[in-house]
Amino acid sequence: MQSCSRRLMTDLSQKIGFTTNRRYFCDKAKTTLKGNANILLKQIEARILAAGPITVADYMKEVLTNPTAGYYMNRDVFGQTGDFITSPEISQMFGELIAVWLVNEWMKCGRPTPFQIAELGPGRGTLMADILRVFSKFKIAGSDFSVNLVEVSPYLGQVQEKQLCLTQAQEATEVPQGSQHYKQSISLYGSQVRWYNHISDLPRTFTLFLAHEFFDALPIHKLVKVDQGWREVLIDLNREDLTLRYVISRDRTPACLYRLDNESREELEVSPQSLIITQTMAARIHQDGGIGLVIDYGHEGDKTDTFRGFKNHKLHDPLVDPGTADLTADVDFAALKWAATHPRAFEDWKANLTYGTVEQKDFLTRVGINLRLEQLLASCRDENVARDLKSAHKMLTDPMEMGSKFKFLALYPSVMEKILERYPPPGFV
């Protein structure tokens, strides 16, 4: 199937041309971060004083998604002006190759319509913008295809709308009463775009699920093994200087009921929300048809302490100035695969299929990033642009940059087993 993806890449180049232009939206939110951070810290302090230490998961949820002062809720955190940069922001090549992969696998499934592409945590909408541009070149648009975004941040929802839709010239379409989505509009290519709060609210239809750097931001519980057994790491208040600190629970907590019977590690991180979302996605794929593609940094169930903060592209103590820095933890892909194939996810059980993980350098190379770079350079007349293209390619594929850090995982329904035996997923073999 690798030759098929290469053929699609060549076809794409003929259709899309060789432009390197992109619409960027780097507006900074007009918020007083220091003041908001102080408000958030006081709220956390009051909660601990009233009810005792809180879990790391509760702390992450509050810091990242607090309605008034949450890190993601009121400003643009991506790119050079933010705290971190993602692959789609580095180069159009990344989004184009993801789009080619999705088109290839959708065709392999028989081109079912209607269908939707659902992205979890779309960031600025840059990845989806590149995907829609490629889809339009293959005449995939209109009433048979819709875009559904799972986004909890009102600010990022506005940024995505500017990136993807025509709402600069007209107001977004009014949402019908009783709808599961909270906002809707029309994309630059004529497809319906809707925004949802949760994956379970999405319409029931054939779906291409996409989660790029989504699971790493979901809350985790930190567990450690002591003489008495498993205990949870909690966050408490140091009464002397009113700073936050880690403590260990006296007794077992609900998180200690996680499947730990054969666990050899002395400490680990678990994300129940990640497992629930993965099971929901897997159930939809099993029942309604679809494919899932998860892209994130993570491990295969062998790492221990990965909880950290990022601010201005540098590591930051996650307990200092909550609300001003991103909080993240490496994704446990072994746990996601367990959730996607566990019998309790389905009523009429037959295990979904998982492929991967594979490293980003291998996936992108197999799908055709070297060919795409050659095509872009061949049509480039600007030395600075050419240099940027080569630099972006290196950052995406070099093992010392993003090439080995990020992993790809694919989910398929069990009915695809025979087809995938004959035509394995491009990028994974």
Side-chain angles (χ1 to χ4, degrees), residues 75 138 180 233 320 344 357 361 382 419 428:
R75 64 190 186 277
F138 287 100
Q180 294 293 326
V233 176
V320 173
R344 281 179 290 188
T357 57
K361 63 179 176 60
D382 187 314
I419 296 175
F428 288 90

Side-chain angles (χ1 to χ4, degrees), residues 109 206-209 284-286 288-292 411-413 416:
C109 293
F206 187 96
T207 305
L208 301 175
F209 287 100
R284 291 292 189 94
I285 290 172
H286 173 70
D288 305 323
I291 298 167
L411 279 63
Y412 290 84
M416 292 286 293

Side-chain angles (χ1 to χ4, degrees), residues 3-152:
S3 60
C4 181
S5 64
R6 184 180 179 89
R7 187 166 61 252
L8 277 173
M9 191 72 245
T10 303
D11 190 22
L12 163 67
S13 301
Q14 294 172 349
K15 293 173 180 289
I16 199 173
F18 302 100
T19 177
T20 57
N21 294 327
R22 171 181 279 152
R23 299 168 61 197
Y24 285 103
F25 295 90
C26 302
D27 313 84
K28 291 186 177 180
K30 305 298 190 293
T31 56
T32 55
L33 300 183
K34 187 174 181 180
N36 275 0
N38 289 336
I39 292 172
L40 185 57
L41 180 58
K42 289 179 181 178
Q43 291 178 354
I44 294 171
E45 290 174 351
R47 180 174 176 180
I48 293 174
L49 288 171
I54 62 175
T55 66
V56 174
D58 285 340
Y59 178 76
M60 285 186 71
K61 183 177 180 180
E62 191 69 19
V63 168
L64 297 179
T65 61
N66 178 282
T68 57
Y71 175 76
Y72 285 115
M73 304 304 282
N74 301 297
R75 64 190 186 277
D76 189 351
V77 300
F78 302 94
Q80 297 293 348
T81 59
D83 294 314
F84 56 92
I85 190 167
T86 62
S87 295
E89 304 288 343
I90 292 172
S91 172
Q92 69 185 68
M93 292 184 288
F94 184 85
E96 289 173 351
L97 291 170
I98 298 301
V100 167
W101 190 91
L102 292 171
V103 170
N104 190 67
E105 300 309 277
W106 173 71
M107 290 179 175
K108 190 187 296 181
C109 293
R111 308 186 184 209
T113 55
F115 77 103
Q116 62 183 337
I117 180 169
E119 184 175 5
L120 313 182
R124 283 180 177 165
T126 306
L127 176 57
M128 185 59 68
D130 289 335
I131 289 173
L132 290 182
R133 189 179 71 255
V134 173
F135 273 35
S136 71
K137 301 304 178 181
F138 287 100
K139 310 301 181 185
I140 304 174
S143 60
D144 288 336
F145 166 69
S146 61
V147 178
N148 293 316
L149 308 175
V150 178
E151 178 59 72
V152 299

Side-chain angles (χ1 to χ4, degrees), residues 84-87 121 211-217 295-297 402 406:
F84 56 92
I85 190 167
T86 62
S87 295
H212 178 259
E213 290 203 54
F214 169 75
F215 284 99
D216 65 89
I295 310 163
D296 227 311
Y297 47 85
M402 291 179 161
F406 286 85

Side-chain angles (χ1 to χ4, degrees), residues 95-247:
E96 289 173 351
L97 291 170
I98 298 301
V100 167
W101 190 91
L102 292 171
V103 170
N104 190 67
E105 300 309 277
W106 173 71
M107 290 179 175
K108 190 187 296 181
C109 293
R111 308 186 184 209
T113 55
F115 77 103
Q116 62 183 337
I117 180 169
E119 184 175 5
L120 313 182
R124 283 180 177 165
T126 306
L127 176 57
M128 185 59 68
D130 289 335
I131 289 173
L132 290 182
R133 189 179 71 255
V134 173
F135 273 35
S136 71
K137 301 304 178 181
F138 287 100
K139 310 301 181 185
I140 304 174
S143 60
D144 288 336
F145 166 69
S146 61
V147 178
N148 293 316
L149 308 175
V150 178
E151 178 59 72
V152 299
S153 168
Y155 178 79
L156 288 177
Q158 292 176 0
V159 174
Q160 294 152 15
E161 192 174 351
K162 288 181 180 179
Q163 179 79 280
L164 300 172
C165 303
L166 299 170
T167 51
Q168 293 165 299
Q170 62 185 37
E171 294 297 322
T173 307
E174 184 177 350
V175 177
Q177 188 174 2
S179 300
Q180 294 293 326
H181 57 283
Y182 62 85
K183 181 166 67 171
Q184 66 184 39
S185 189
I186 303 297
S187 78
L188 296 169
Y189 305 99
S191 300
Q192 188 76 234
V193 184
R194 297 185 179 92
W195 282 261
Y196 296 81
N197 283 311
H198 195 274
I199 185 174
S200 61
D201 297 330
L202 293 170
R204 304 301 299 260
T205 188
F206 187 96
T207 305
L208 301 175
F209 287 100
L210 184 60
H212 178 259
E213 290 203 54
F214 169 75
F215 284 99
D216 65 89
L218 296 183
I220 60 160
H221 294 264
K222 292 181 65 66
L223 304 178
V224 295
K225 188 183 291 184
V226 297
D227 293 340
Q228 297 77 22
W230 286 98
R231 295 293 184 267
E232 184 165 4
V233 176
L234 304 175
I235 295 176
D236 196 9
L237 187 65
N238 188 332
R239 268 64 171 181
E240 294 180 0
D241 57 5
L242 296 181
T243 57
L244 299 174
R245 62 177 182 176
Y246 296 109
V247 297

